[in-house]
Amino acid sequence: MYSRPVLGERATMEKCYMRLAIMGTGYVGLVSGACFSDLGHDVICADINEQKILALQQGKIPIYEPGLDEMVRRNVEQGRLSFTTNIKKAIQDSLMIFVAVGTPPREDGTADLQYVFSVAENVGKHINGYKVIIDKSTVPVGTAARVRETVQAAMTARGAHHEFDVVSNPEFLKEGAALEDFMKPDRVVIGCDNVRVRILMEELYSFFARNGRPIIVMSTESAEMTKYAANAMLATKISFINEIAAICERVGANIDDVRQGIGSDRRIGYEFISPGIGYGGSCFPKDVKALIQTAQEAGVQPRVLPAVDALNEQQKSALIEKMRTYYHDDFAGRTFALWGLAFKPETDDVREAPALAMAAYLLKAGARLRAYDPKAAEPAAILLGHDAHIEYVDHYYDAAKGCDALVLATEWSFFRNTDLARLKQEMKTPVVFDGRNVYAPALMSTFGFDYFSIGRAPVLAFSQASGAATSPG
């Protein structure tokens, strides 16, 4: 057990070894627990979901994240990582308690903090000595103060008196690259209000400091805002490039060339300026909405953020609008191959996925779908419902067999090397609607496809060759 140093004893802290409890075994909690244990800490991941904990104890990982299953297995075998439903024991056996539970959006866009405060109340009920309570969940500004109040109230109700600190330590993990992001972060943000806990947090993250990763210490309010601001900025870049792509289509410019032209400017860069059919997932959509609500509650009327959100919702239907024009709003009886269901590659997360929005529209319009995704078919089927008009196949070429058109919604890397001759042979008609600009228009023209993408001129090679050209937008 790690003994808490008194203020000023930093020089005696020879080894950064701590016992950590991770409250919540969702994406953030499981990745954080696995990575901290891989750094040598003793970690216990706790959750009230008995089925999830039982599965984890049996080595079954509930999410797909490259490398996570192996990291969990390794650290469980070496005794540094364990899973439990015993919340009391996890709290009492640990110095640092990470809050990594979900903060889903309410109907008005605000973050639902009931799970965060449930953890805080449990800490207050079971605290048996000094603890550091660390908010990893994405929470609105001011949540750390409310967590402190909740812990104190629960402690007072049982007549207990123990010291504790509350820290904001937001995560900046990309799904599909979370392990690397955790182990090689651009920065570690720590929000705290005294030297004692700052020393402990800096020791916890000393591995990263030794490897040149900056540790940035600020107030809890600033740390909470940093997380929202970071996600909102990235979402803004995505909506911005999609709006530029829409303009390109109308004025005859090519978004690929424009992206090269602006991305080469070091002040802008290439990251998050790839045009497509909008962002999804568990972070950007809810965090932009939550920040809008935070601003309004503080008396600020945001203008950029609502536009970012509205543009993204509009962008999810960008391919559908092209398809409506091409097929003159007649989808009934047509069969479409849908490549990709997850909101991005290298994940099985389908929350707010543009692919699912398109699938729902096409099914309602009377179309049939054959869908392929290497990881996300099962969660997609749960959200879409087991509709008889959608079939989930095991290989992407099988999805294309006899279809009227292919809709590409997620840019899995192997799609980039598709055998276009084989694809054309499999399809009933060689028509592709590419929501991620995976293919070069010139190449699609060479192979005789009708091809529609984002921010680039359409290719009508098949229609022109067959004499059945339509008026696609």
Side-chain angles (χ1 to χ4, degrees):
M1 177 71 71
Y2 187 93
S3 298
R4 178 175 67 88
V6 298
L7 198 61
E9 279 191 337
R10 182 181 179 123
T12 69
M13 298 171 68
E14 297 178 356
K15 184 174 179 60
C16 179
Y17 163 81
M18 300 182 185
R19 298 198 69 173
L20 315 177
I22 310 289
M23 297 297 169
T25 55
Y27 188 85
V28 173
L30 194 53
V31 170
S32 298
C35 289
F36 273 128
S37 64
D38 213 51
L39 292 172
H41 299 293
D42 277 354
V43 179
I44 183 165
C45 291
D47 203 298
I48 60 174
N49 187 324
E50 294 182 0
Q51 288 185 328
K52 182 184 287 189
I53 290 299
L54 179 61
L56 286 166
Q57 290 171 339
Q58 295 172 344
K60 300 174 183 177
I61 308 303
I63 58 173
Y64 173 71
E65 177 63 35
L68 181 60
D69 53 351
E70 170 57 27
M71 183 178 285
V72 169
R73 183 196 61 77
R74 178 171 66 246
N75 285 285
V76 168
E77 288 179 354
Q78 295 176 2
R80 292 189 298 266
L81 179 62
S82 61
F83 304 96
T84 187
T85 56
N86 191 332
I87 304 299
K88 177 180 178 180
K89 181 173 174 56
I91 291 169
Q92 294 187 342
D93 286 355
S94 304
L95 167 66
M96 295 191 162
I97 302 163
F98 284 84
V99 182
V101 294
T103 56
R106 295 191 179 98
E107 288 187 10
D108 63 357
T110 59
D112 185 348
L113 301 178
Q114 62 172 309
Y115 306 114
V116 172
F117 295 133
S118 177
V119 172
E121 186 174 0
N122 275 317
V123 172
K125 288 178 179 178
H126 303 305
I127 187 171
N128 59 339
Y130 175 76
K131 305 291 179 183
V132 182
I133 303 156
I134 304 162
D135 284 334
K136 266 288 183 195
S137 301
T138 301
V139 294
V141 177
T143 300
R146 295 177 64 188
V147 166
R148 189 189 320 277
E149 293 169 359
T150 303
V151 174
Q152 186 62 57
M155 209 167 38
T156 301
R158 67 185 180 97
H161 302 281
H162 298 290
E163 293 185 30
F164 66 93
D165 285 305
V166 178
V167 174
S168 175
N169 176 217
E171 53 82 20
F172 301 97
L173 306 176
K174 297 189 298 291
E175 293 190 44
L179 301 189
E180 182 176 6
D181 284 349
F182 191 100
M183 293 300 196
K184 298 178 181 178
D186 293 331
R187 76 294 201 193
V188 175
V189 172
I190 297 171
C192 60
D193 58 8
N194 67 66
V195 176
R196 171 178 63 183
V197 73
R198 173 175 178 161
I199 290 172
L200 284 170
M201 292 299 294
E202 287 178 341
E203 288 297 333
L204 176 65
Y205 284 107
S206 61
F207 168 84
F208 304 104
R210 288 195 299 270
N211 287 279
R213 310 293 173 175
I215 296 178
I216 306 171
V217 182
M218 58 187 72
S219 69
T220 55
E221 293 83 0
S222 296
E224 290 164 343
M225 178 58 85
T226 295
K227 170 63 176 180
Y228 274 123
N231 279 355
M233 173 58 77
L234 298 177
T236 299
K237 292 184 73 173
I238 294 170
S239 284
F240 172 81
I241 200 65
N242 283 332
E243 185 164 69
I244 295 299
I247 299 170
C248 285
E249 291 183 9
R250 294 301 182 95
V251 301
N254 184 312
I255 191 61
D256 292 343
D257 297 335
V258 174
R259 180 178 181 273
Q260 289 289 325
I262 64 175
S264 57
D265 187 326
R266 287 175 294 178
R267 298 170 299 174
I268 300 173
Y270 291 103
E271 291 190 284
F272 291 89
I273 60 165
S274 295
I277 47 176
Y279 56 78
S282 63
C283 295
F284 289 3
K286 77 175 180 66
D287 290 353
V288 170
K289 289 180 172 65
L291 187 52
I292 291 170
Q293 289 294 322
T294 295
Q296 292 173 341
E297 290 171 3
V300 176
Q301 184 55 52
R303 289 172 172 79
V304 173
L305 297 173
V308 169
D309 184 49
L311 279 165
N312 190 64
E313 288 304 308
Q314 176 181 309
Q315 196 65 19
K316 289 181 179 180
S317 63
L319 276 193
I320 290 293
E321 292 305 311
K322 296 176 189 292
M323 295 174 73
R324 290 181 63 190
T325 301
Y326 190 84
Y327 292 109
H328 305 289
D329 266 336
D330 182 13
F331 295 108
R334 300 186 190 276
T335 299
F336 298 99
L338 180 57
W339 282 9
L341 295 163
F343 85 94
K344 62 180 288 187
E346 299 301 332
T347 182
D348 61 354
D349 194 344
V350 295
R351 287 172 289 185
E352 301 284 343
L356 268 59
M358 290 192 295
Y361 181 93
L362 291 171
L363 289 170
K364 186 176 181 180
R368 302 183 69 89
L369 299 178
R370 280 205 294 273
Y372 169 80
D373 190 290
K375 299 296 178 182
E378 185 174 342
I382 293 172
L383 286 185
L384 286 173
H386 293 277
D387 192 305
H389 291 88
I390 181 169
E391 176 187 0
Y392 300 93
V393 299
D394 294 329
H395 197 282
Y396 51 105
Y397 287 116
D398 290 339
K401 286 181 178 178
C403 70
D404 291 281
L406 163 66
V407 181
L408 195 155
T410 310
E411 65 276 30
W412 287 91
S413 59
F414 49 85
F415 289 159
R416 298 185 181 279
N417 297 308
T418 298
D419 182 340
L420 294 176
R422 177 181 174 184
L423 176 63
K424 184 178 181 181
Q425 186 176 13
E426 297 281 7
M427 298 175 72
K428 177 181 177 182
T429 49
V431 181
V432 174
F433 295 91
D434 181 357
R436 301 299 180 183
N437 287 9
V438 168
Y439 305 116
L443 186 64
M444 299 301 283
S445 178
T446 298
F447 277 88
F449 284 86
D450 279 2
Y451 176 70
F452 306 92
S453 54
I454 306 297
R456 306 184 296 187
V459 171
L460 299 172
F462 169 70
S463 291
Q464 290 169 353
S466 63
T470 60
S471 302

